[in-house]
Amino acid sequence: NAGVTQTPKFRILKIGQSMTLQCTQDMNHNYMYWYRQDPGMGLKLIYYSVGAGITDKGEVPNGYNVSRSTTEDFPLRLELAAPSQTSVYFCASTTLDRGHETQYFGPGTRLLVL
Amino acid sequence: GQNIDQPTEMTATEGAIVQINCTYQTSGFNGLFWYQQHAGEAPTFLSYNVLDGLEEKGRFSSFLSRSKGYSYLLLKELQMKDSASYLCAVRDRWGGGNKLTFGTGTQLKVEL
């Protein structure tokens, strides 16, 4: 298993540009999440999904959109990039095993909006 | 909502023991997690507590007191590679999705 993979690893955007951050997991996990992490801060939940076709907002969803057409993929879309979206973005997936949840994180995408 | 507090920074000596505390406030506690995050890398899962008491896993142990809204992560026989940020995260039973709320992390520096 490759686990959770994210592309790209790093990207520079101009204000107003759009892009999609890709996230794929090959562990057949139902639950997937997108977080952002600003310098010296914890992780803030942007969006999450409990299964294919189902998505919901997290703590900081403004300026982002997601889709979940398959179990494996959970892309995050930025439509009009703003400097405030400069951050490191982590995708995670999780599975419940006898009531014990373990979250696996992807390597992250560093985004700089200028 | 939830509120999670942990110290911003800690320094300890190689070979020593360090305890990182986390206090939380939540309306529907359903589990507490500890993650380790090295600079520039993704968080990695360390431990999980849902019942009161101590969970031990090698050099790492995590303790939970639900009545006090308190947890700690204990690292024994510190090594230089333990220098990292340690994130406390709480799961709430309300709202669905097994979502976690993360603290801002404790930056641990291990010195010779």
Side-chain angles (χ1 to χ4, degrees):
Chain A
N1 288 347
V4 181
T5 58
Q6 291 183 239
T7 57
K9 292 184 179 179
F10 178 68
R11 181 78 181 267
I12 299 175
L13 282 182
K14 294 182 179 179
I15 295 173
Q17 286 186 318
S18 62
M19 77 165 293
T20 299
L21 284 68
Q22 301 292 344
C23 175
T24 300
Q25 53 89 12
D26 62 356
M27 298 172 283
N28 202 34
H29 289 171
N30 286 321
Y31 290 43
M32 296 186 75
Y33 310 81
W34 273 107
Y35 294 91
R36 60 176 287 172
Q37 185 176 36
D38 298 330
M41 302 296 289
L43 297 154
K44 299 289 186 183
L45 183 66
I46 305 171
Y47 270 95
Y48 69 99
S49 169
V50 300
I54 307 171
T55 63
D56 208 345
K57 296 177 180 179
E59 187 179 355
V60 289
N62 292 345
Y64 307 94
N65 278 300
V66 293
S67 60
R68 186 89 183 274
S69 56
T70 66
T71 299
E72 294 78 22
D73 301 306
F74 190 39
L76 178 71
R77 179 84 177 161
L78 282 72
E79 291 294 348
L80 292 170
S84 61
Q85 293 177 306
T86 293
S87 190
V88 180
Y89 291 84
F90 289 104
C91 178
S93 72
T94 185
T95 189
L96 283 177
D97 179 9
R98 288 161 289 180
H100 180 183
E101 173 195 77
T102 301
Q103 281 205 9
Y104 297 90
F105 283 83
T109 294
R110 295 180 179 278
L111 177 66
L112 179 61
V113 182
L114 299 174
Chain B
Q2 298 179 353
N3 190 34
I4 300 173
D5 289 311
Q6 47 182 134
T8 303
E9 296 178 339
M10 297 184 71
T11 301
T13 305
E14 188 179 35
I17 300 173
V18 70
Q19 177 175 312
I20 302 174
N21 297 324
C22 172
T23 58
Y24 63 88
Q25 294 174 314
T26 182
S27 56
F29 177 81
N30 193 27
L32 186 142
F33 299 78
W34 284 97
Y35 287 83
Q36 180 191 60
Q37 186 177 27
H38 285 100
E41 297 183 8
T44 55
F45 171 77
L46 285 179
S47 69
Y48 166 77
N49 295 72
V50 68
L51 299 177
D52 290 351
L54 189 69
E55 293 283 340
E56 297 186 80
K57 188 185 292 186
R59 294 189 298 116
F60 293 71
S61 303
S62 57
F63 172 83
L64 175 68
S65 170
R66 289 173 294 172
S67 62
K68 296 181 179 179
Y70 168 69
S71 173
Y72 68 72
L73 180 69
L74 194 70
L75 291 75
K76 304 175 185 176
E77 302 170 14
L78 280 173
Q79 302 175 8
M80 298 298 289
K81 67 178 182 179
D82 296 330
S83 292
S85 181
Y86 291 86
L87 305 173
C88 173
V90 173
R91 182 171 65 199
D92 195 297
R93 69 176 69 251
W94 312 122
N98 287 292
K99 300 188 296 289
L100 298 181
T101 299
F102 284 82
T104 54
T106 298
Q107 188 66 46
L108 174 66
K109 182 178 180 181
V110 180
E111 299 178 330
L112 291 172

